[in-house]
Amino acid sequence: MGDWIGENLWALWLTLAVALAVVEVLVLDLIFLMLAAGSAAALATALAGGDPWLQIAVFAAVSLLMLVVVRPTALQHLKKGAPGELTNADALPGRTVQVLEDTTFTSGLVKVDGEVWTARAPEGQTIPAGSTAEIETVDGATLRVAAQPEIDWDAGRSA
């Protein structure tokens, strides 16, 4: 068995590269992907007839190089965005929503960007269905909203 592994070390490197790539897909941290690249380089060394010590040295060198040089640059590109740019729930306060059902301090539904959220109005207020409201805060999966003043365009007009 030991002779077979020694003669077919490429199979170990291939298995390790694939396993590390699968783990990377699960954790999305770019660490295992860098180690998979080292395994792929060791696989190439094994297929080229390199000695086992050389394969291990290539694995270590390429993995270290990828972790130190490539990973920080890749992370920088992945996290590209304007400094202070708000995303996800942090970007919701101040946005206008469509009220889907009467919203009170204890119940309500609103729609923002095509998504339906539970909503709550300030205590003692009811925001009627069909009106618009503004998101004040996000509390878990519930939006705290306040009614927007409505303009009566027909007020003051005589018929």
Side-chain angles (χ1 to χ4, degrees), residues 2 11 17 20 22 32 39 42 51-52 56 58 72-74 76-77 86 108-109 124 126 128:
L20 289 168
V22 168
F32 294 100
S39 297
D51 291 331
I56 293 169
V58 166
T73 305
Q76 196 173 37
H77 286 287
L86 298 176
L109 290 176
T126 298

Coordinates of all heavy atoms in Angstrom, one line a residue, residues 2 11 17 20 22 32 39 42 51-52 56 58 72-74 76-77 86 108-109 124 126 128:
G2 N 1.9 1.3 0.8 CA 2.8 2.4 0.9 C 3.5 2.7 -0.4 O 3.7 3.8 -0.8
A11 N -2.5 11.3 -7.0 CA -3.9 11.1 -6.6 C -4.2 11.8 -5.2 O -5.3 12.3 -5.0 CB -4.2 9.6 -6.5
A17 N -6.8 18.8 -3.4 CA -7.2 20.0 -4.1 C -8.7 20.1 -4.2 O -9.3 21.2 -3.9 CB -6.5 20.1 -5.4
L20 N -10.3 20.6 -0.7 CA -10.1 22.0 -0.2 C -11.0 23.0 -1.0 O -11.6 23.9 -0.4 CB -8.7 22.4 -0.3 CG -7.7 21.7 0.7 CD1 -6.3 22.0 0.3 CD2 -8.0 22.2 2.1
V22 N -14.0 22.3 -2.3 CA -15.3 22.1 -1.7 C -15.5 22.8 -0.4 O -16.5 23.4 -0.2 CB -15.6 20.6 -1.6 CG1 -16.9 20.3 -0.9 CG2 -15.7 19.9 -3.0
F32 N -9.1 28.3 2.1 CA -9.0 26.9 1.6 C -8.8 27.0 0.1 O -8.2 26.0 -0.5 CB -10.3 26.1 1.9 CG -10.4 25.9 3.4 CD1 -11.2 26.7 4.2 CD2 -9.6 24.9 4.0 CE1 -11.3 26.5 5.6 CE2 -9.7 24.7 5.4 CZ -10.5 25.5 6.2
S39 N -2.2 22.8 -3.5 CA -2.3 21.3 -3.9 C -2.2 21.1 -5.4 O -1.7 20.1 -5.8 CB -3.6 20.8 -3.3 OG -3.7 20.9 -1.9
A42 N 1.3 21.2 -6.4 CA 2.0 20.0 -6.0 C 1.6 18.8 -7.0 O 2.4 18.0 -7.3 CB 1.7 19.6 -4.6
D51 N 10.1 14.6 -7.1 CA 10.2 13.8 -5.9 C 9.2 14.3 -4.8 O 8.8 15.4 -4.8 CB 11.6 13.9 -5.3 CG 12.6 13.2 -6.1 OD1 12.3 12.3 -6.8 OD2 13.8 13.7 -6.1
P52 N 8.8 13.4 -3.9 CA 7.8 13.7 -2.9 C 8.2 14.9 -2.1 O 7.4 15.8 -1.7 CB 7.7 12.5 -2.0 CG 8.0 11.3 -2.9 CD 9.1 11.9 -3.9
I56 N 6.0 18.5 -1.7 CA 5.6 19.1 -0.4 C 6.2 20.5 -0.3 O 5.5 21.4 0.1 CB 6.1 18.2 0.8 CG1 5.4 16.9 0.8 CG2 6.0 19.0 2.1 CD1 6.0 15.9 1.8
V58 N 6.8 22.5 -2.9 CA 6.0 23.3 -3.8 C 4.6 23.6 -3.2 O 4.1 24.8 -3.3 CB 5.8 22.6 -5.2 CG1 4.7 23.2 -6.1 CG2 7.1 22.6 -5.9
P72 N -5.1 38.7 0.2 CA -5.5 40.1 0.5 C -6.0 40.9 -0.6 O -6.9 41.7 -0.5 CB -4.2 40.7 1.1 CG -3.4 39.5 1.5 CD -3.7 38.4 0.6
T73 N -5.3 40.8 -1.8 CA -5.8 41.5 -3.0 C -7.2 41.0 -3.4 O -8.0 41.9 -3.8 CB -4.8 41.3 -4.1 OG1 -3.5 41.7 -3.7 CG2 -5.1 42.1 -5.3
A74 N -7.4 39.7 -3.4 CA -8.7 39.2 -3.8 C -9.8 39.7 -2.8 O -10.9 40.0 -3.2 CB -8.7 37.7 -3.8
Q76 N -9.8 42.4 -1.1 CA -10.0 43.8 -1.3 C -10.9 44.0 -2.5 O -11.8 44.9 -2.5 CB -8.6 44.5 -1.6 CG -8.6 46.0 -1.5 CD -7.2 46.5 -1.6 OE1 -6.4 45.9 -2.4 NE2 -6.8 47.5 -0.9
H77 N -10.8 43.2 -3.6 CA -11.6 43.4 -4.7 C -13.0 42.9 -4.4 O -14.0 43.4 -4.9 CB -11.1 42.6 -5.9 CG -9.9 43.3 -6.6 ND1 -10.0 44.4 -7.3 CD2 -8.6 43.0 -6.5 CE1 -8.8 44.8 -7.7 NE2 -7.9 44.0 -7.2
L86 N -23.7 52.1 2.8 CA -24.6 51.2 3.6 C -25.2 50.2 2.7 O -25.6 50.4 1.6 CB -25.7 52.1 4.2 CG -25.3 53.1 5.2 CD1 -26.5 54.0 5.7 CD2 -24.6 52.5 6.4
G108 N -48.9 44.9 11.2 CA -48.9 45.6 10.0 C -47.9 45.0 9.0 O -47.0 44.2 9.4
L109 N -48.2 45.3 7.7 CA -47.3 44.8 6.6 C -47.1 45.9 5.7 O -47.9 46.7 5.3 CB -48.0 43.7 5.8 CG -48.2 42.3 6.5 CD1 -48.9 41.4 5.6 CD2 -46.8 41.7 6.9
G124 N -50.1 54.5 19.4 CA -51.2 55.4 19.3 C -51.6 55.8 17.8 O -52.5 56.5 17.6
T126 N -52.2 54.8 13.6 CA -52.6 53.8 12.6 C -52.3 54.4 11.3 O -52.8 55.5 10.9 CB -54.1 53.4 12.7 OG1 -54.3 52.9 14.0 CG2 -54.4 52.4 11.7
P128 N -53.0 53.9 7.5 CA -53.9 53.1 6.7 C -53.3 52.4 5.5 O -52.3 52.9 4.9 CB -54.9 54.1 6.2 CG -54.2 55.4 6.3 CD -53.2 55.3 7.4

